Amino acid sequence: MPGNKYNNNNDHANSSSVPSSRIERLLRERELRKNSRASYSNESSVNDGVDSSDNLLEQYLEGASAARDGWEKPDGGLFTQRLLVVANRLPVSAVRRGEESWSLEVSAGGLVSALLGVKEVEAKWIGWAGVNVPDEPGQRALTKALAEKRCIPVFLDEEVVHQYYNGYCNNILWPLFHYLGLPQEDRLATTRSFQSQFAAYKKANQMFADVVNEHYEEGDVVWCHDYHLMFLPKCLKDHNSNMKVGWFLHTPFPSSEIHRTLPSRSELLRAVLAADLVGFHTYDYARHFVSACTRILGLEGTPEGVEDQGRLTRVAAFPIGIDSDRFIRALENPQVQEHMKELKERFSGRKVMLGVDRLDMIKGIPQKILAFEKFLEENQYWRDKVVLLQIAVPTRTDVPEYQKLTSQVHEIVGRINGRFGSLTTVPIHHLDRSLDFQALCALYAVTDIAIVTSLRDGMNLVSYEFVACQDAKRGVLILSEFAGAAQSLGAGAILVNPWNITEVAASIGQALNMSAEEREKRHRHNFLHVTTHTAQEWAETFVSELNDTVVEAQQRTRQVPPPLPIEEAIERYLQSSNRLIILGFSATLTEPVDTPDRRGGDQIREMDLKLHPELKESLMKLCDDPHTTVVVLSGSDRSILDDNFGEFNMWLAAENGMFLRSTKGTWMTTMPEHSNMEWVDSVKHVFEYFTERTPRSHFELRETSLVWNYKYADVEFGRLQARDMLQHLWTGPISNASVDVVQGSRSVEVRAAGVTKGITIVRILGEIVHSKSISSPIDYVLCIGHFLGKDEDIYTFFEPELPYNGMGIPRPKLNDTAKGPGDKKPGKSGSKTSQKQRAPQSLDNKRTTNNNRNNGFENGGKRSSVSADKVSWNVLDLKADNYFSCAVGRTRTNARYLLQSSDDVVAFLKDLTQAS
């Protein structure tokens, strides 16, 4: 087989140029896709036909047939990988014309157009042709005809189709996944039981697997689709455990409480877990799947997926899109423009509302029409100025439930038209049929409001299609919050609960009266999403992820420290003569924002760090005490500390102590004179990538570090993304840079190597001692903060009971003669004494200490001359009972004690100042 870039063990010459991690490869492929998109668009525009997408589909399927040469592209080049797409139905419809004669019609939607854009991959389709072919001559002829379309048929007999497709798929799985529940045992159509349908389901899946195994070649990727084929990954892995298998669900996946009602629930979950990568439209569906696996099967859920006895199946969200260019180009078609002209004349003077749905229980068509009725009842002005066009495509017309739904919809429409219509106009135009592509595009383009009221929908791409056709009209989208598309288009759409008829009716009024400016803003947001998150992008992303699935999980457990003994801390404070108080800022001294619903939390207010308003008076008293030195040590930048603490008499240490100043002086820095910051651009590139893929995350570019924060993203999805980011950063573009990667509870920070609060406190103390000329040792230390784990060395730095080499940080000593920096003798003597008294430090600790010794402060070219090592007597005379380290809201900590929130910090500092 020609060179498969993912399965070629012979080419070692270029191994050094191959990215070493999955994220690194995905980043590279993302950039390549961006660069090639313009050229691909230019190539497509060469075709003269405006609606050339259909031609492209036909050409792609009829290109160099895989049966003749499995690795040759239609343009004569070579594919580097083969993709076997397995779905219940093939992307073609077959009609028998004779014993050995078939006519085929290519479907222009779905996976075909999605996989058009996947470069370097040849896709082959495996599935049922939708017809029963019992005779061998007919099967041979159909197989030959389909081979020219890159399709391979699976032949299912009528009994299997009835039990598997009409029975288990459509009568059990589909209703359950859409929260409609399971049918009663006596209502399973004409079949006998769940067991007989499930047996047929497994048999059909094995028949699909047999065809895949017959055509599989080493290195192929097998992509299984939808609830029809949940058992297929297990069948494939049982045959060949090395096969790369992905499975994607196009419907919602229900919560574990719903899924657990399904008979044979465990078998289905374990069958899906045999795949290497399991994909869903939204993270909610993926979370439900992981939850079902953990709650029903008792397996371990991780940010990457589900782990079972050391084997982990990656689970991720891949929101699908549409071929937006096809719809945009269609609007230039003369026939479409003629349709648009006719529709505008037909509905002149009236606002057009549009619904396009399958006539299905989950689409909420009755709810939509009833909401429109309520709107007409309450808004007499609009009764003859708005019209609802409802396209209801018939489906499963032989099922009694669907027949009942059709009658119900017709009855409601007739009642409303009779109530609010006239001899010449009616408020609702209802069509029980589908429209061709050109007519549908024209209808989308002239619509003022599209309304989607799905009660439960995997994605609902009608909303995407409407947005793609609305770049001129700027119409409004009313979208059910129960459609998967709500997570992608929610910012620009008006989200509604379709069960709340009053809310939907009010949303119709809001849309009709919306200003042009607001419509423009909403449309711009959604149009950008629809045109960038295309079906092609979706398919490329899934294939890339499937090729590069990597997982790793770690767990840590620690004991929770006791609460801060407030009375004891105050008593020791009053008995001491020279105190040092070190305070963090964020989540320690800041005002908490009340957001009971975190997903709808006030992100803007929380990101704007402000000093707690009740803290000002007590903090002022502490700072004005001549026997108390207050230091605010924060990871925030200098401007934030200046804004919040400029009026206090204290010391400010910004960016983890890399910048320092007294509020009476100017800023200085501990950065080396020749710091290498070349790593910033590569880290910024990675942070931008993850910010784009993680809604409500953001990153901060500081002077000495970068921080990616996902506090406001979905917590589980944020952790998943953070794990991917950490894996990439540790092994990727900064692997040889002098930096540290620090993980917070919901953040990832990259900073210069050797920078921690515990290390910089040496320099801070040296500067404080030098500036104030303190003549007595510090005998009381209070350290309170919400610090990252790496910065918690500041807690252990002051521990009197720890040996001096516990963290490899030198304890500062004071020069009793307060000699200048040019006097090297005391410093040399002090250094030797210190070295004799301490146990030997590790090489890493020595290097860290030496780096800090060489770091001076600077302000506009000016550097501090203070060296924390050039001292000859102890700054600290600290007993264990006089040291109080306290973490705020962090149960995993090196601190002695714990306070729950900044409110507790405020209350404690108030008590402290009142007692003094």
Side-chain angles (χ1 to χ4, degrees):
M1 183 175 65
N4 183 337
K5 67 176 178 180
Y6 294 102
N7 191 47
N8 188 355
N9 298 323
N10 298 323
D11 186 9
H12 299 285
N14 297 326
S15 60
S16 61
S17 63
V18 177
S20 59
S21 72
R22 177 172 57 88
I23 294 298
E24 193 172 82
R25 284 190 286 269
L26 294 177
L27 281 168
R28 185 186 67 175
E29 291 179 10
R30 173 174 171 266
E31 291 302 310
L32 290 174
R33 290 201 300 268
K34 281 186 175 181
N35 294 335
S36 65
R37 196 164 290 138
S39 60
Y40 179 72
S41 176
N42 291 337
E43 291 172 6
S44 300
S45 64
V46 171
N47 297 307
D48 293 331
V50 175
D51 192 21
S52 58
S53 178
D54 293 333
N55 296 330
L56 286 173
L57 291 169
E58 192 75 24
Q59 292 167 10
Y60 186 74
L61 287 173
E62 292 183 350
S65 173
R68 299 195 304 271
D69 187 346
W71 292 91
E72 185 180 349
K73 293 183 184 179
D75 61 5
L78 290 179
F79 290 110
T80 55
Q81 190 173 36
R82 213 172 63 148
L83 177 67
L84 301 181
V85 181
V86 191
N88 177 62
R89 288 294 300 269
L90 290 172
V92 296
S93 299
V95 178
R96 193 162 191 170
R97 301 299 184 188
E99 183 177 353
E100 297 185 6
S101 174
W102 293 87
S103 65
L104 305 177
E105 183 178 348
V106 177
S107 169
L111 297 175
V112 185
S113 57
L115 293 167
L116 272 174
V118 184
K119 306 298 182 183
E120 312 302 325
V121 170
E122 179 207 13
K124 278 184 144 187
W125 275 264
I126 296 176
W128 178 47
V131 292
N132 179 34
V133 190
D135 58 301
E136 289 190 7
Q139 292 183 4
R140 286 196 301 268
L142 181 57
T143 300
K144 182 178 179 181
L146 288 172
E148 297 180 359
K149 306 287 187 183
R150 302 192 185 197
C151 294
I152 302 169
V154 177
F155 295 105
L156 305 175
D157 60 61
E158 288 185 352
E159 178 62 20
V160 170
V161 170
H162 180 64
Q163 293 262 37
Y164 145 73
Y165 181 69
N166 297 328
Y168 199 78
C169 291
N170 289 339
N171 204 40
I172 295 178
L173 289 183
W174 189 91
L176 184 78
F177 283 9
H178 289 86
Y179 291 77
L180 298 178
L182 293 172
Q184 296 298 317
E185 189 78 13
D186 61 349
R187 298 185 62 199
L188 295 180
T190 58
T191 57
R192 293 184 299 275
S193 66
F194 284 108
Q195 287 71 27
S196 63
Q197 293 187 356
F198 186 58
Y201 183 84
K202 290 194 290 184
K203 178 181 178 181
N205 274 249
Q206 185 60 56
M207 295 172 72
F208 277 85
D210 292 342
V211 176
V212 173
N213 294 332
E214 180 184 349
H215 293 84
Y216 175 80
E217 298 176 6
E218 185 180 358
D220 286 355
V221 167
V222 182
W223 190 359
C224 313
H225 287 270
D226 228 359
Y227 60 92
H228 311 88
L229 301 175
M230 294 180 72
F231 225 79
L232 183 57
K234 180 180 186 301
C235 297
L236 296 174
K237 286 289 189 175
D238 287 346
H239 178 78
N240 183 353
S241 61
N242 295 323
M243 189 181 295
K244 289 183 180 180
V245 179
W247 181 78
F248 189 89
L249 181 65
H250 293 267
T251 70
F253 192 89
S255 71
S256 59
E257 293 303 307
I258 297 293
H259 184 77
R260 71 191 311 153
T261 64
L262 177 68
S264 306
R265 60 196 182 187
S266 298
E267 283 189 79
L268 277 182
L269 290 176
R270 290 195 179 277
V272 171
L273 288 175
D276 300 293
L277 175 64
V278 176
F280 299 90
H281 280 310
T282 72
Y283 182 68
D284 281 345
Y285 305 157
R287 177 170 54 84
H288 289 162
F289 177 80
V290 173
S291 177
C293 292
T294 56
R295 296 189 181 199
I296 296 174
L297 301 181
L299 303 179
E300 180 184 356
T302 73
E304 291 86 4
V306 180
E307 186 172 351
D308 182 10
Q309 298 179 346
R311 184 187 184 279
L312 196 145
T313 299
R314 177 166 166 76
V315 180
F318 303 91
I320 197 172
I322 62 171
D323 183 3
S324 55
D325 287 342
R326 178 172 180 244
F327 286 85
I328 295 172
R329 288 195 306 266
L331 299 181
E332 302 174 6
N333 188 304
Q335 292 180 330
V336 174
Q337 292 178 351
E338 183 64 27
H339 276 304
M340 291 169 58
K341 182 180 178 182
E342 293 174 359
L343 289 170
K344 288 177 181 178
E345 293 175 354
R346 174 68 178 82
F347 299 110
S348 176
R350 305 175 76 183
K351 294 288 186 179
V352 176
M353 292 176 55
L354 175 65
V356 179
D357 308 276
R358 283 185 297 108
L359 192 52
D360 205 312
M361 276 83 73
I362 66 163
K363 295 300 182 178
I365 297 176
Q367 286 80 358
K368 179 191 306 184
I369 299 174
L370 290 173
F372 184 58
E373 179 184 28
K374 185 170 183 61
F375 171 77
L376 295 178
E377 287 177 352
E378 298 176 349
N379 297 270
Q380 184 174 355
Y381 169 79
W382 284 103
R383 291 180 182 177
D384 59 349
K385 295 180 175 62
V386 63
V387 59
L388 171 62
L389 308 182
Q390 177 60 54
I391 311 300
V393 182
T395 178
R396 301 183 69 186
T397 53
D398 57 333
V399 178
E401 287 81 4
Y402 285 79
Q403 295 171 354
K404 182 178 178 181
L405 174 66
T406 303
S407 299
Q408 179 188 14
V409 171
H410 288 174
E411 179 183 346
I412 299 173
V413 170
R415 187 187 74 239
I416 297 174
N417 282 342
R419 182 180 175 188
F420 297 105
S422 66
L423 292 175
T424 56
T425 61
V426 291
I428 301 177
H429 289 246
H430 182 87
L431 294 182
D432 281 326
R433 63 180 181 85
S434 61
L435 297 180
D436 61 53
F437 176 71
Q438 294 179 347
L440 185 61
C441 289
L443 197 52
Y444 281 141
V446 302
T447 295
D448 297 282
I449 301 170
I451 180 166
V452 176
T453 54
S454 302
L455 306 182
R456 190 71 61 173
D457 227 342
M459 198 65 181
N460 193 292
L461 296 180
V462 167
S463 54
Y464 278 63
E465 295 170 358
F466 168 74
V467 170
C469 294
Q470 279 284 313
D471 203 32
K473 187 88 172 183
R474 304 295 202 268
V476 182
L477 173 64
I478 299 176
L479 180 59
S480 167
E481 63 185 59
F482 300 117
Q487 295 197 15
S488 303
L489 304 181
I494 300 176
L495 296 184
V496 295
N497 177 357
W499 293 103
N500 189 338
I501 301 300
T502 302
E503 178 188 354
V504 179
S507 298
I508 293 174
Q510 179 186 351
L512 287 171
N513 294 294
M514 186 177 293
S515 66
E517 181 182 4
E518 184 177 351
R519 293 203 315 268
E520 168 71 25
K521 289 180 180 179
R522 288 176 178 270
H523 171 76
R524 189 186 310 122
H525 184 282
N526 283 349
F527 188 76
L528 178 63
H529 182 90
V530 169
T531 53
T532 54
H533 295 74
T534 62
Q536 292 82 2
E537 183 74 20
W538 165 76
E540 284 182 324
T541 303
F542 189 92
V543 173
S544 297
E545 291 271 4
L546 183 53
N547 273 310
D548 294 295
T549 298
V550 176
V551 289
E552 181 180 354
Q554 295 180 344
Q555 293 182 337
R556 293 192 311 172
T557 56
R558 293 189 180 181
Q559 293 182 348
V560 178
L564 176 68
I566 295 176
E567 293 182 1
E568 181 185 350
I570 294 175
E571 181 182 353
R572 295 290 178 179
Y573 176 89
L574 297 176
Q575 295 174 356
S576 60
S577 58
N578 193 12
R579 309 132 182 160
L580 173 65
I581 298 179
I582 301 174
L583 302 171
F585 180 43
S586 178
T588 303
L589 304 179
T590 52
E591 179 183 9
V593 179
D594 185 20
T595 53
D597 182 4
R598 195 189 67 79
R599 298 189 76 176
D602 195 338
Q603 179 175 349
I604 302 301
R605 286 184 60 196
E606 291 183 2
M607 290 172 59
D608 186 17
L609 297 179
K610 295 293 185 182
L611 181 66
H612 198 296
E614 298 180 16
L615 191 59
K616 184 175 181 179
E617 183 178 351
S618 55
L619 189 58
M620 190 73 73
K621 290 181 180 179
L622 283 176
C623 294
D624 291 339
D625 186 339
H627 301 291
T628 302
T629 301
V630 179
V631 179
V632 172
L633 179 54
S634 171
S636 301
D637 60 37
R638 293 180 282 180
S639 62
I640 292 178
L641 297 189
D642 283 337
D643 292 341
N644 286 279
F645 300 100
E647 61 183 306
F648 298 92
N649 180 23
M650 61 167 57
W651 287 83
L652 303 178
E655 296 199 25
N656 302 306
M658 295 296 280
F659 298 96
L660 176 70
R661 84 172 179 98
S662 165
T663 50
K664 297 180 179 178
T666 55
W667 284 102
M668 300 165 284
T669 181
T670 63
M671 288 180 62
E673 292 183 357
H674 304 291
S675 298
N676 184 356
M677 302 293 287
E678 294 179 354
W679 50 269
V680 171
D681 287 338
S682 59
V683 173
K684 181 181 177 183
H685 178 63
V686 175
F687 280 17
E688 287 175 340
Y689 171 79
F690 280 93
T691 300
E692 290 175 2
R693 291 178 59 83
T694 312
R696 295 191 70 177
S697 68
H698 65 280
F699 77 93
E700 303 172 46
L701 178 59
R702 299 171 181 170
E703 295 184 59
T704 61
S705 64
L706 293 92
V707 181
W708 181 69
N709 191 302
Y710 57 94
K711 176 181 178 181
Y712 308 102
D714 184 281
V715 59
E716 295 298 329
F717 184 53
R719 286 174 185 165
L720 185 151
Q721 295 291 74
R723 292 290 181 91
D724 278 358
M725 174 184 283
L726 286 169
Q727 185 180 41
H728 174 61
L729 291 174
W730 284 329
T731 61
I734 62 169
S735 57
N736 296 321
S738 181
V739 298
D740 286 329
V741 180
V742 185
Q743 184 179 18
S745 60
R746 294 176 190 173
S747 66
V748 176
E749 178 178 359
V750 179
R751 61 172 76 157
V755 177
T756 68
K757 291 180 171 67
I759 291 175
T760 57
I761 196 65
V762 181
R763 196 53 77 170
I764 293 171
L765 288 178
E767 185 64 23
I768 292 174
V769 169
H770 175 71
S771 63
K772 298 185 70 171
S773 299
I774 296 178
S775 58
S776 61
I778 296 171
D779 59 353
Y780 178 95
V781 174
L782 172 65
C783 185
I784 303 177
H786 181 83
F787 300 136
L788 297 175
K790 189 175 183 64
D791 292 319
E792 289 202 338
D793 56 359
I794 192 172
Y795 296 140
T796 54
F797 172 84
F798 289 105
E799 284 288 356
E801 298 174 354
L802 288 178
Y804 276 9
N805 69 319
M807 293 295 294
I809 304 170
R811 297 280 172 79
K813 294 187 175 183
L814 204 70
N815 188 335
D816 57 343
T817 58
K819 295 188 177 182
D823 192 339
K824 300 181 180 179
K825 186 174 182 180
K828 191 178 294 183
S829 173
S831 178
K832 288 181 178 179
T833 303
S834 176
Q835 291 170 4
K836 290 178 182 178
Q837 290 175 347
R838 295 190 209 116
Q841 300 177 3
S842 68
L843 290 175
D844 289 341
N845 288 337
K846 285 183 179 180
R847 180 163 57 251
T848 300
T849 304
N850 289 334
N851 285 343
N852 275 276
R853 290 172 182 167
N854 294 330
N855 294 349
F857 297 98
E858 67 176 348
N859 181 38
K862 177 183 176 183
R863 282 188 174 268
S864 167
S865 57
V866 175
S867 173
D869 297 325
K870 298 177 180 179
V871 289
S872 58
W873 59 278
N874 284 324
V875 171
L876 298 175
D877 184 20
L878 191 60
K879 298 179 181 179
D881 292 340
N882 276 13
Y883 175 52
F884 297 87
S885 59
C886 182
V888 181
R890 288 179 62 91
T891 56
R892 296 182 178 182
T893 177
N894 292 324
R896 293 182 172 189
Y897 308 109
L898 177 67
L899 286 174
Q900 293 298 331
S901 67
S902 58
D903 286 334
D904 294 336
V905 177
V906 172
F908 167 66
L909 294 180
K910 281 184 176 181
D911 293 342
L912 188 64
T913 54
Q914 290 174 0
S916 60

